[in-house]
Amino acid sequence: MQRSGQRNSKRLRKTGEFNRVYRNGARLYGKGFTLVYLRDEQSDNRVSESRLGISVPRKVGNAVQRNRIKRIIREAFRLHREVFPQYSDIVFAVRPGFPLTGMQAVRDAVAVLITRGMK
């Protein structure tokens, strides 16, 4: 059986990895979420791809809603990797009031945020 989806090396998993990004990363604030990213030269990420971590607090809906948000963000990252910061460790921190209407909405929100924040 072949697994579809991301390899674990493309995801931030450990608390230390999240803390390093939160402590040293640049922040971009969107509507209902914050994107914190740490460029490759500053991080332990010595691979040629970006890695994603997702933080959704319990204040954002119930477990089903939080897991759906995480699935949609991971899928948007997998399919639209070009709109996320390149060669970075990225934490997508969701806040209460996150307007989730679908994967395309996540992609568009990140694209607007990146183009505005990278100027």
Side-chain angles (χ1 to χ4, degrees):
M1 183 166 139
Q2 191 170 36
R3 266 182 82 177
S4 62
Q6 299 178 26
R7 294 186 330 261
N8 287 338
S9 63
K10 294 181 184 177
R11 292 172 58 185
L12 298 176
R13 294 250 181 202
K14 298 181 180 176
T15 303
E17 295 171 338
F18 276 86
N19 288 340
R20 185 174 21 269
V21 174
Y22 279 128
R23 193 173 42 249
N24 302 321
R27 285 173 169 70
L28 298 173
Y29 298 96
K31 184 175 181 178
F33 70 97
T34 302
L35 203 65
V36 186
Y37 65 96
L38 185 62
R39 293 278 181 201
D40 181 34
E41 57 271 359
Q42 300 168 339
S43 72
D44 289 342
N45 181 11
R46 298 292 177 221
V47 294
S48 61
E49 297 177 329
S50 295
R51 297 188 303 173
L52 178 68
I54 303 169
S55 173
V56 184
R58 287 188 179 160
K59 289 183 179 181
V60 179
N62 60 23
V64 173
Q65 293 166 332
R66 291 191 305 269
N67 287 331
R68 181 171 187 269
I69 288 170
K70 289 186 273 189
R71 281 194 307 272
I72 289 173
I73 292 169
R74 279 194 300 266
E75 188 69 6
F77 180 72
R78 186 180 72 83
L79 294 176
H80 304 288
R81 194 172 295 270
E82 72 278 357
V83 300
F84 288 86
Q86 301 297 310
Y87 311 112
S88 302
D89 285 343
I90 304 163
V91 174
F92 196 106
V94 177
R95 295 190 307 258
F98 181 68
L100 181 66
T101 57
M103 184 181 50
Q104 191 64 30
V106 171
R107 182 215 173 275
D108 293 342
V110 170
V112 167
L113 192 63
I114 294 297
T115 55
R116 187 180 69 209
M118 296 292 182
K119 286 183 181 180

